[in-house]
Every structure is written in structure tokens, then in C-alpha cells.
Amino acid sequence: MSDKLLINLEIIPGKKRFPLNITPAKEPIVREAAQFIRDKFNLYRRNFGIKEVSDLEIMSMVALDIASAKLILESQKEIYPIIKERVGRLNEELKEYLKVRK
């Protein structure tokens, strides 16, 4: 018995379905990601008009949108430890100040 599951995903609405071997644990995430891409694709298709822009151009915008969001999240993760450390220091300084004032 295999620990992989074969699923078929349609990324671009009404186009080719892609077979994908994944672990059962990843299936909900992969399906949600595919739906997210389809939703973004449909949003860009509505915004640009079906005949004005090709599917490839729309997918390029979807990829740019998702990559930009990923980079923003990564930059926020990098700054979080710095903010946490500074807030911790300010908290300690405030505690010391309040001790002196008592």
C-alpha cells in the first residue's frame, strides 16, 4: 500500500487537469491552494476582461501576486523577533522604573 495519493487538480478553470501524487495529510492544503489560485485567476480575468489578456498573462499576474504576498510575510517573520526583543526590553525598563517610583 502506497503512502501517496493521486489527485487531479484543475488550476486554470476549464482547462487541463494535472495529476499530482501527494501524501494524504497534504491533500486539503494542496486543494485549498489550487482553489486559491483559481479564485485569483478568476479575479484577474474579470478585472482584465476575457479577450484582452491570455491565460498565460493572467497566470503571470497571479504568480506575481502570490510571490509578493510570500515575500511580505517573510519580511514580517524576520522583524518579529526584533520587535519581541525590543518590547521585552521596554517591559523590563518599565518594571524597573515602577519599582523605583514606589
Side-chain angles (χ1 to χ4, degrees), residues 66-98:
I66 292 170
S68 298
K70 177 191 180 294
L71 293 173
I72 288 168
L73 284 173
E74 284 178 356
S75 70
Q76 290 172 347
K77 282 188 210 173
E78 291 171 4
I79 200 164
Y80 176 76
I82 296 167
I83 293 171
K84 183 178 177 183
E85 186 269 328
R86 288 183 182 169
V87 168
R89 267 192 309 182
L90 287 172
N91 191 34
E92 291 303 316
E93 288 177 19
L94 182 58
K95 285 179 184 176
E96 288 300 315
Y97 175 78
L98 291 174

Side-chain angles (χ1 to χ4, degrees), residues 44-58:
Y44 278 111
R45 178 182 272 168
R46 281 191 306 274
N47 288 341
F48 290 131
I50 295 172
K51 297 184 187 225
E52 296 174 21
V53 183
S54 72
D55 288 349
L56 178 60
E57 292 168 317
I58 294 172

Side-chain angles (χ1 to χ4, degrees), residues 15-51:
K15 301 289 181 174
K16 180 180 178 180
R17 297 179 73 81
F18 295 93
L20 188 61
N21 283 308
I22 58 171
T23 61
K26 289 184 180 179
E27 181 186 9
I29 295 167
V30 171
R31 289 192 183 278
E32 186 176 348
Q35 184 62 52
F36 181 78
I37 292 169
R38 282 192 300 275
D39 291 345
K40 286 277 186 193
F41 182 90
N42 288 328
L43 176 70
Y44 278 111
R45 178 182 272 168
R46 281 191 306 274
N47 288 341
F48 290 131
I50 295 172
K51 297 184 187 225

